[in-house]
Amino acid sequence: MSFPLSERIEAALDSIRPYLEADGGNVRVVEVTDDFILRLELTGTCSSCPMSTMTLKAGVEEAIKRAVPEIIKVEAVNVLVA
């Protein structure tokens, strides 16, 4: 039996949350679109950190895609890309 998409996403996020929390940040699921784009909100210090885009791509997105291959893209709703 496979676990629901939302449970697998949360489990993947839980695997990286300790690293985010160590720097005073966290992440919250906003939505999964019909075309399997995961939208997240970076919270705490992650929301204003200049490295948040790199953290999102290198850490969060990689962990999600490994655990939940259906997700094709991860976006942060509150990160401005320069």
Side-chain angles (χ1 to χ4, degrees):
M1 181 176 98
S2 75
F3 291 99
L5 191 70
S6 60
E7 286 185 25
R8 291 185 290 138
I9 289 169
E10 284 299 331
L13 291 175
D14 285 346
S15 74
I16 58 163
R17 276 193 171 105
Y19 304 104
L20 299 174
E21 290 169 346
D23 288 329
N26 208 332
V27 64
R28 180 181 72 82
V29 174
V30 175
E31 71 172 329
V32 178
T33 67
D34 291 338
D35 51 350
F36 294 100
I37 295 173
L38 174 63
R39 292 203 170 111
L40 301 173
E41 178 183 13
L42 298 175
T43 63
T45 56
C46 287
S47 65
S48 60
C49 175
M51 297 299 287
S52 60
T53 301
M54 184 180 298
T55 299
L56 181 72
K57 288 292 173 195
V60 178
E61 186 168 47
E62 288 304 312
I64 292 290
K65 285 183 171 181
R66 256 194 320 274
V68 191
E70 298 94 324
I71 298 297
I72 60 166
K73 186 177 180 183
V74 178
E75 297 177 343
V77 298
N78 60 331
V79 172
L80 298 175
V81 178

